[in-house]
Amino acid sequence: SSELTQDPAVSVALGQTVRITCQGDSLRRYYASWYQQKPGQAPVLVFSGKNNRPSGIPDRFSGSSSGSTASLTITGAQAEDEADYYCSSRDSSGTDVVFGGGTKLTVL
Amino acid sequence: QVQLVQSGAEVKKPGASVKVSCKASGYTFTAHGISWVRQSPRQGLEWMGWISTYSGDTNYAQKFQGRVTMTTDTSTSTAYMELRSLRSDDTAVYYCARDLDGSGVFHYWGQGALVTVSS
């Protein structure tokens, strides 16, 4: 079982803002990383740490954290953002990396 | 550009071992570590461990301790992951990912290698 919990599915209207959340005790101590995965493809890093967006990732993707919850916000969601999103971080002991169960984002 | 190219799909019987390779290009191999992550419909994404391509030091996930070995060949910029005593629930897509220092931030991923364990 994962130490990071995500909502299984979220939907957003085209052009609107959506927040995808990730909950876990270890997030009080460690930052989350966020990955986008489309069918049949490897995951792609879209945000990490306090404020790190890899080159090539649109600035509509942003991350934040408060207490035991990390969030990925997509401001002005596009059709191409429809995908599965996974958070990851260290586990409570700090030794292993753990992933959330993933959130399937549907853009309506 | 950074590329991680993995070996192809494998079919193994229960109890066997599998060794997946990951050939890196487009950057200095020893400047970034490699993590291995697997994905199955039942277990989702699972981190298996990390290897320093500079020193060979490893950090294996507790779940895989004793059953996994990660190695590198710096002469060919290739990382390897061997998993032993395979079970049906080891059926998954296995990814390598560039991970600077084992912190679990995976900037680049291989294309994945499907390993099927079936009798």
Side-chain angles (χ1 to χ4, degrees):
Chain A
S1 61
S2 174
E3 295 186 26
L4 299 178
T5 301
Q6 298 182 243
D7 292 329
V10 170
S11 62
V12 61
L14 184 67
Q16 297 303 300
T17 296
V18 62
R19 177 175 292 182
I20 299 169
T21 61
C22 174
Q23 293 188 305
D25 285 342
S26 65
L27 297 177
R28 296 182 182 276
R29 183 178 176 187
Y30 301 104
Y31 284 111
S33 298
W34 290 94
Y35 301 89
Q36 175 193 72
Q37 187 178 34
K38 297 181 179 179
Q41 299 182 17
V44 173
L45 179 69
V46 295
F47 204 88
S48 67
K50 185 176 182 180
N51 191 22
N52 298 307
R53 187 185 313 107
S55 61
I57 301 301
D59 61 6
R60 62 178 178 271
F61 289 89
S62 62
S64 62
S65 184
S66 177
S68 63
T69 300
S71 301
L72 176 72
T73 300
I74 307 174
T75 304
Q78 303 298 304
E80 61 263 33
D81 299 335
E82 187 164 288
D84 293 329
Y85 290 85
Y86 296 90
C87 61
S88 75
S89 185
R90 288 288 185 183
D91 68 358
S92 299
S93 69
T95 56
D96 287 5
V97 176
V98 290
F99 287 89
T103 297
K104 182 176 181 61
L105 175 66
T106 299
V107 179
L108 304 173
Chain B
Q1 73 283 20
V2 174
Q3 280 194 307
L4 299 173
V5 179
Q6 299 184 229
S7 48
E10 303 250 21
V11 179
K12 296 292 183 180
K13 294 193 180 303
S17 299
V18 69
K19 192 170 187 176
V20 180
S21 67
C22 170
K23 184 172 177 58
S25 61
Y27 70 98
T28 300
F29 182 65
T30 52
H32 297 265
I34 294 286
S35 270
W36 289 87
V37 176
R38 74 179 188 181
Q39 185 173 31
S40 65
R42 182 175 178 181
Q43 298 290 334
L45 289 165
E46 290 185 288
W47 177 76
M48 300 180 69
W50 173 84
I51 182 166
S52 166
T53 53
Y54 178 77
S55 66
D57 289 345
T58 55
N59 177 28
Y60 299 142
Q62 292 181 8
K63 174 176 180 175
F64 299 99
Q65 289 270 5
R67 209 159 64 94
V68 70
T69 301
M70 296 176 187
T71 56
T72 63
D73 181 347
T74 56
S75 69
T76 60
S77 299
T78 303
Y80 298 91
M81 185 284 300
E82 181 180 36
L83 187 63
R84 301 177 292 278
S85 302
L86 290 169
R87 308 183 288 256
S88 58
D89 62 0
D90 290 318
T91 294
V93 176
Y94 288 75
Y95 293 102
C96 61
R98 199 178 84 170
D99 179 359
L100 174 63
D101 53 5
S103 59
V105 181
F106 312 122
H107 284 266
Y108 295 94
W109 295 64
Q111 83 276 18
L114 175 61
V115 175
T116 302
V117 183
S118 174
S119 56

